[in-house]
Amino acid sequence: MDQTLFFILLLVALCSVSECVQRQYHFIYENKTWTEAQRYCREKYSDLATVDNMNDMNELNKSLNDKSVRFVWIGLQKTGSDDWQWSSGEPALYLNWATGQPENTDCAMMLNGEWHDLPCSDNQHFICNNNELIVVKENLTWSEALRYCRQNHVDLVSVHSEEIQRRVMNVVKRASTAAVWLGLHNYCIMNMWLWVSGEMVCYHNWAPGNGTTPENCSLENRKGAVQSGGDQRWISLPESHKLNFICSGY
Ligand SMILES: *[C@@H]1O[C@H](CO)[C@@H](O)[C@H](O)[C@H]1NC(C)=O
Ligand SMILES: *[C@@H]1O[C@H](CO)[C@@H](O)[C@H](O)[C@H]1NC(C)=O
Ligand SMILES: *[C@@H]1O[C@H](CO)[C@@H](O)[C@H](O)[C@H]1NC(C)=O
Ligand SMILES: *[C@@H]1O[C@H](CO)[C@@H](O)[C@H](O)[C@H]1NC(C)=O
Ligand SMILES: *[C@@H]1O[C@H](CO)[C@@H](O)[C@H](O)[C@H]1NC(C)=O
C-alpha cells in the first residue's frame, strides 16, 4: 500500500479511538461559590466540569447519583457580553441552556439536565472533570505500557496543553525511572510526532536536540518520554526501553 495512504488510514483509526473515550465526572457534595469550586477541582481533579456533547451530558447526569441534589455548578463562565467559556479554556461549542436562559449573571449551573445562569457568589454543589493521571511504577516497553493503560485506565497520557504538562510534572516525581513514557509516537516515514489520542503535537516541551530533528529509526521506532527529574522535558527514546509510564483517566 502507498505509504501516505497507509498513514492517513492509521491516523483515521487513531482519531476514532480517541472519540470513543468518554469524559468522566466526579460530583462533590460540598457547597462552594463558583470560584471556590473551580479552585477545588483544579487542586484535586483537573477542572470544573466541561461538557462537549450529548454523551458528556449523559455522563454528567449519571455522576449526580444523589437525586435530591438539584443545582450543581458546571465549569461554564461568562467572559464577554454574550461569550461563555469553559473553565478548562476550551471554547463553549455545545450549549444546553434552559428556555429563557441565560439571564444576566456570570456563572452556569445545571438543573434537570439543563443549564441556568446564577451569580458566581452563590454556594452550590458542583461537578469536576475526573481525568486523573496515574503514574504506573512498572518498567515496561512503550507498547506494553500502551496496552496496560488501555486495559486498566483510558490511554497513555497525551500532553496537549501546558495545563496537562504542569499536572504531569507534579505526578512524575513519584516515578522510579529517570524518564517516563508519554502517549507520544514518532512516524518515521513522515518524520512526524503524534499523540496516541490522534492529536497533532501543537504544544511541546522537548529537551534540546530532541523531537525536532529527523530520527534514525533504522533499528527501532522512537517514542516520547518525559524526564522525571531536572527540567522534566520530553525526550525521544527507542521504544524497547523499559520505563514507568503515565495513564490518563480521561
Ligand atoms: C448546602 O446548601 C444547602 C442549601 O443551602 C443545604 O440545604 C445543605 O445542607 C448544604 N449542604 C452541605 C453539605 O453543606
Ligand atoms: C438529565 O437528567 C434530567 C433529569 O434529571 C433529564 O431531564 C435530562 O433529559 C437528562 N439529560 C440527559 C442528556 O440524559
Ligand atoms: C524499574 O527500574 C528502576 C530503574 O532502573 C528501578 O529502580 C526499579 O526498581 C524498577 N522497578 C521495577 C518494578 O522493577
Ligand atoms: C535529548 O535530551 C537529552 C536530555 O537533555 C540529551 O541527553 C540528549 O543528548 C538529547 N538528544 C539529542 C539527539 O540531542
Ligand atoms: C542509523 O543507525 C544505524 C544503526 O546504528 C546506522 O548504521 C546508520 O548509519 C544510521 N543512519 C543515519 C542516517 O544516521
Side-chain angles (χ1 to χ4, degrees):
M1 202 187 321
D2 175 75
Q3 286 188 331
T4 311
L5 178 60
F6 173 74
F7 179 77
I8 289 168
L9 290 177
L10 195 60
L11 200 59
V12 168
L14 284 168
C15 291
S16 39
V17 166
S18 76
E19 280 165 16
C20 302
V21 173
Q22 179 54 56
R23 188 170 254 135
Q24 290 181 343
Y25 300 100
H26 195 85
F27 170 66
I28 309 292
Y29 194 70
E30 284 183 41
N31 289 324
K32 292 188 185 295
T33 67
W34 191 92
T35 312
E36 288 165 356
Q38 181 190 48
R39 191 180 315 127
Y40 181 100
C41 289
R42 285 181 172 178
E43 276 168 15
K44 308 226 163 161
Y45 297 90
S46 62
D47 218 318
L48 258 181
T50 308
V51 186
D52 278 334
N53 50 47
M54 277 301 287
N55 290 339
D56 287 352
M57 268 310 292
N58 286 327
E59 208 57 37
L60 198 66
N61 259 5
K62 274 197 252 160
S63 73
L64 258 182
N65 39 20
D66 180 347
K67 298 297 174 200
S68 68
V69 172
R70 300 182 65 227
F71 308 92
V72 281
W73 286 131
I74 55 174
L76 191 61
Q77 191 179 34
K78 188 147 83 176
T79 51
S81 61
D82 246 337
D83 294 331
W84 289 76
Q85 198 186 30
W86 295 109
S87 169
S88 60
E90 291 164 69
L93 303 177
Y94 171 88
L95 291 167
N96 196 32
W97 294 112
T99 314
Q101 299 286 322
E103 291 175 308
N104 199 19
T105 54
D106 292 344
C107 287
M109 60 95 179
M110 182 170 78
L111 166 65
N112 295 330
E114 292 182 314
W115 306 349
H116 298 247
D117 61 331
L118 270 190
C120 304
S121 56
D122 277 22
N123 285 291
Q124 303 288 347
H125 302 307
F126 53 100
I127 297 178
C128 302
N129 288 336
N130 192 13
N131 34 345
E132 41 177 352
L133 299 180
I134 304 109
V135 176
V136 182
K137 290 168 78 177
E138 287 187 45
N139 300 338
L140 300 183
T141 67
W142 189 85
S143 310
E144 291 165 346
L146 181 67
R147 197 174 321 124
Y148 181 101
C149 288
R150 289 187 169 172
Q151 278 171 0
N152 298 287
H153 301 284
V154 172
D155 215 338
L156 264 177
V157 66
S158 293
V159 189
H160 44 72
S161 71
E162 199 176 327
E163 183 210 332
I164 302 179
Q165 170 70 16
R166 257 187 271 119
R167 294 175 52 221
V168 162
M169 288 165 88
N170 267 330
V171 297
V172 85
K173 296 174 199 148
R174 296 180 214 141
S176 66
T177 48
V180 174
W181 288 129
L182 303 173
L184 186 53
H185 52 172
N186 179 254
Y187 286 96
C188 218
I189 355 162
M190 310 289 289
N191 181 30
M192 189 179 186
W193 289 89
L194 280 180
W195 294 111
V196 287
S197 61
E199 282 163 291
M200 313 287 290
V201 178
C202 300
Y203 168 77
H204 53 82
N205 203 340
W206 292 107
N210 288 255
T212 45
T213 49
E215 299 287 346
N216 182 349
C217 326
S218 61
L219 293 179
E220 265 197 84
N221 282 323
R222 315 281 300 194
K223 307 292 176 183
V226 61
Q227 299 166 313
S228 53
D231 289 348
Q232 299 175 303
R233 289 176 172 248
W234 307 348
I235 55 176
S236 154
L237 291 175
E239 63 186 4
S240 64
H241 279 215
K242 298 200 166 195
L243 305 178
N244 292 179
F245 50 98
I246 304 173
C247 301
S248 58
Y250 163 62

